[in-house]
Amino acid sequence: MRAKKEGVSPQDIIDKYHTIIKNSFHDFGISFDNYSRTSAPVHHKTASDFFLKLYNDGEFIEEVTEQLYDAEANQYLADRFVIGTCPKCGNEESYGDQCEKCGTSHNATDLINPKSAITGNVPTLKETKHWFLPLDKHEDFLRQWILEGHKNDWKPNVLGQVKSWIDDGLRPRAVTRDLDWGIPVPVEGADGKVLYVWFDAPIGYISSTKEWAEREGKNWEDYWKKEDTKLVHFIGKDNIVFHCIIFPAMLKAHGDYILPENVPANEFLNLEGNKLSTSKNWAVWLHEYLEDFPNQQDVLRYTLTANAPENKDNDFTWKDFQAKNNNELVAVFGNFINRVVVLTNKYYEGIVPEPNTLSDVDEETLRQLQEFPNVIGKSIERYRFREASQEMMNLARLGNKYLADEEPWKLIKQDEERVKTVMFVALQIAAGLAVLSEPFLPFTAAKLKNILNTNSGETENSWKDVSTKEILLAPNHEIQKGKPELLFSKIEDATMQAQLDKLEATKKANEALINK
């Protein structure tokens, strides 16, 4: 659709956005073992071979059906090429394959009052031949595998959606389309037909593994055909049906591949009360964010993690973004680290002091520090990333409370030896934060390791070290001298208003288009 609107080829669109998205991921510290694309030759072959295996095994139903057709555009309308009213929730902007408001998966012919997204015309019905995957054939398997086999370890929101679809009765789903762009259907009598995007797209996980394995000298089949492999899909609410119903049915029908271990899907994240929409420019674009907030990747990463819609829809607002930065990253995390580094330089010229006898409070504080890797790790392993991020912040809170209670800036006048112990304990917490913050604040963790001089060699600590080593920063270890770099800086109201003004301009532009 975007290619048609911009008057360019689909390949041009793919190349443009592949580069933008890849660079944005890199700039935000998000790495991939292999960042591929479904336009790659290895994917075309993998998807074609997969289709042929199911075709030759008799897993498809071949049918001639009536589909929506735009005579002016001379094109059948499927998926994003048609818009109409969702038959389930009444959303008037539902697409031909799925309603993004309620998440219902349907066919284009199910829409009420459909209109062509190309010309705006009311389409007619025209016969065409397609191949269908009989999902109803796999209904018993899916019910047993997911609703029974994973009832205790999959997220309730995922189980709820899957149960709703299965209880409603699964129906055959077309896996081919009448389009001039895509992977050609590899059988006779299929001229002008391509594989449905949500048939070939998940196969991209397999083809990307092949691409990576060839480059790394690995055997890709070890990762897709052996039971000691754990396949996990991190996706959004609108893709649950494809990863929990359609793709598993495809894998089961094929017979050679493992099934997903878990699909910890999130719900929708809205933006300032409205649904995110790239087509309507109602979004926060990562490359634009970095222009407005240079070197502040971790602020957005933290806000998104802390507000992740893990079990229900949530809202991203610039006001909350500001609060997360000012009240948590600056006031809690940054404040603790700054006090520790400043006082260590002021009292000991950047040298970790030798502690004296630990008090009960000291020992209890260090004991709590050692518990955090396990607590945070368990939350991550259960895909509770929001919870994990808050536990990480609780470690910074522990450090702040410890300093506030001990008040070394006052105690230094009466008991210098006691202050050595207090600062030693505080530095251990800082060293722990440098490790445990990395999954959430990778750029900040790197800066903190640099400030503490724990970024290489014997001074570098691992996740396990935080829970097992009695000392993370040894006495006489030297941290960075001089005025420490501020990890976070306060964001003012005017900066937030500029972002809200940008969204308001987008809203007005969209309204103008509607009223044309």
Side-chain angles (χ1 to χ4, degrees):
M1 271 303 302
R2 186 173 290 276
K4 286 183 178 294
K5 287 180 180 178
E6 296 185 13
V8 298
S9 72
Q11 188 64 53
D12 290 334
I13 294 295
I14 289 172
D15 292 341
K16 174 184 176 180
Y17 287 99
H18 176 83
T19 301
I20 290 174
I21 294 170
K22 184 178 182 180
N23 290 341
S24 293
F25 278 136
H26 175 269
D27 292 343
F28 269 81
I30 300 170
S31 62
F32 295 83
D33 292 310
N34 193 62
Y35 190 72
S36 189
R37 53 166 82 181
T38 55
S39 58
V42 64
H43 176 69
H44 276 233
K45 184 176 187 323
T46 303
S48 295
D49 289 347
F50 198 110
F51 181 92
L52 279 173
K53 171 72 163 60
L54 269 59
Y55 177 84
N56 291 329
D57 288 349
E59 293 290 343
F60 293 131
I61 299 170
E62 183 180 316
E63 283 188 5
V64 174
T65 61
E66 288 187 326
Q67 297 295 323
L68 299 179
Y69 183 78
D70 185 335
E72 181 181 340
N74 191 28
Q75 181 175 324
Y76 284 96
L77 303 177
D79 310 328
R80 302 304 166 101
F81 288 96
V82 60
I83 297 174
T85 300
C86 172
K88 185 170 183 178
C89 74
N91 171 31
E92 296 181 355
E93 295 185 349
S94 178
Y95 292 116
D97 60 341
Q98 185 181 36
C99 175
E100 292 195 346
K101 184 173 183 180
C102 69
T104 298
S105 175
H106 49 231
N107 295 314
T109 50
D110 295 329
L111 291 174
I112 301 167
N113 300 324
K115 287 186 178 181
S116 169
I118 305 171
T119 65
N121 295 337
V122 176
T124 58
L125 290 172
K126 186 176 179 180
E127 287 190 343
T128 183
K129 179 174 68 175
H130 282 294
W131 287 265
F132 293 75
L133 180 66
L135 295 176
D136 49 323
K137 173 183 175 181
H138 303 284
E139 194 171 295
D140 290 342
F141 150 69
L142 291 167
R143 184 183 295 277
Q144 180 62 38
W145 172 58
I146 301 176
L147 301 184
E148 292 299 324
H150 287 291
K151 63 183 178 182
N152 295 321
D153 62 326
W154 282 27
K155 294 171 67 172
N157 59 306
V158 177
L159 289 171
Q161 279 208 36
V162 171
K163 185 177 187 303
S164 176
W165 285 315
I166 293 177
D167 288 349
D168 195 39
L170 298 178
R171 291 171 288 280
R173 181 75 176 243
V175 296
T176 56
R177 292 288 191 267
D178 291 290
L179 291 171
D180 57 5
W181 171 259
I183 300 175
V185 176
V187 297
E188 289 186 14
D191 293 343
K193 300 182 190 298
V194 299
L195 299 182
Y196 171 44
V197 63
W198 274 111
F199 178 85
D200 89 77
I203 297 172
Y205 302 132
I206 302 171
S207 61
S208 183
T209 307
K210 287 183 177 181
E211 200 172 54
W212 167 82
E214 183 176 353
R215 186 180 68 244
E216 300 295 325
K218 305 282 188 179
N219 180 8
W220 72 269
E221 291 182 309
D222 289 345
Y223 296 86
W224 278 96
K225 297 185 177 182
K226 290 192 174 181
E227 291 299 327
D228 60 352
T229 296
K230 186 176 181 179
L231 174 62
V232 180
H233 294 301
F234 295 96
I235 59 166
K237 176 182 186 176
D238 52 339
N239 289 336
I240 292 176
V241 64
F242 305 112
H243 290 80
C244 295
I245 300 290
I246 296 176
F247 191 40
M250 290 163 54
L251 295 171
K252 182 69 172 176
H254 191 287
D256 291 346
Y257 295 100
I258 60 169
L259 296 169
E261 175 75 17
N262 209 323
V263 184
N266 284 342
E267 297 292 286
F268 285 143
L269 180 69
N270 297 318
L271 172 60
E272 295 289 349
N274 293 308
K275 188 180 182 304
L276 282 162
S277 174
T278 56
S279 61
K280 296 179 180 178
N281 198 31
W282 192 258
V284 177
W285 301 99
L286 296 186
H287 62 286
E288 291 183 4
Y289 171 88
L290 285 180
E291 292 173 2
D292 296 337
F293 300 93
N295 302 315
Q296 295 186 64
Q297 297 96 324
D298 281 352
V299 181
L300 185 59
R301 288 181 62 125
Y302 177 75
T303 302
L304 290 174
T305 304
N307 281 349
E310 292 178 342
N311 297 303
K312 62 180 181 179
D313 292 355
N314 212 341
D315 199 34
F316 175 90
T317 67
W318 284 112
K319 182 178 181 181
D320 183 67
F321 169 85
Q322 181 185 26
K324 286 285 188 295
N325 178 80
N326 294 352
N327 301 338
E328 296 180 29
L329 295 176
V330 174
V332 179
F333 193 113
N335 180 57
F336 170 67
I337 295 300
N338 189 63
R339 287 202 288 183
V340 170
V341 174
V342 167
L343 292 178
T344 301
N345 272 293
K346 182 178 181 181
Y347 299 154
Y348 313 112
E349 297 184 341
I351 305 297
V352 178
E354 182 82 43
N356 293 289
T357 303
L358 298 177
S359 69
D360 290 345
V361 171
D362 300 333
E363 291 183 348
E364 173 60 19
T365 301
L366 292 174
R367 184 194 67 77
Q368 289 184 46
L369 166 62
Q370 290 187 321
E371 289 181 350
F372 275 94
N374 185 50
V375 171
I376 296 172
K378 282 186 175 180
S379 293
I380 291 174
E381 288 172 358
R382 294 196 299 261
Y383 313 111
R384 297 177 180 177
F385 305 122
R386 184 173 60 195
E387 179 181 89
S389 72
Q390 294 314 294
E391 288 296 343
M392 179 275 297
M393 191 58 69
N394 283 339
L395 177 55
R397 292 188 177 97
L398 173 69
N400 268 323
K401 184 179 186 306
Y402 177 76
L403 283 182
D405 290 346
E406 297 298 323
E407 297 183 309
W409 46 87
K410 291 183 179 179
L411 194 60
I412 192 72
K413 299 172 184 177
Q414 293 91 31
D415 192 343
E416 290 185 8
E417 291 303 308
R418 172 61 188 155
V419 172
K420 290 180 181 179
T421 304
V422 171
M423 293 311 302
F424 173 83
V425 172
L427 282 161
Q428 305 312 303
I429 297 174
L433 273 173
V435 176
L436 303 185
S437 65
E438 189 168 1
F440 318 98
L441 308 168
F443 295 92
T444 303
K447 289 179 185 177
L448 182 50
K449 289 176 183 178
N450 189 51
I451 290 170
L452 298 176
N453 283 329
T454 60
N455 49 9
S456 63
E458 293 182 0
T459 62
E460 190 171 12
N461 293 304
S462 68
W463 194 277
K464 184 178 180 181
D465 288 339
V466 181
S467 61
T468 58
K469 286 175 65 174
E470 291 187 6
I471 298 176
L472 299 176
L473 272 184
N476 298 315
H477 171 84
E478 186 175 342
I479 68 171
Q480 194 178 84
K481 290 186 176 181
K483 188 176 181 180
E485 175 186 6
L486 288 177
L487 297 179
F488 304 99
S489 56
K490 187 177 179 182
I491 297 175
E492 302 297 338
D493 292 345
T495 303
M496 294 297 88
Q497 189 58 49
Q499 296 301 319
L500 292 171
D501 290 345
K502 185 188 293 187
L503 286 174
E504 184 62 28
T506 295
K507 183 181 291 186
K508 288 180 178 178
N510 289 332
E511 290 172 351
L513 285 174
I514 294 172
N515 295 327
K516 260 189 176 182

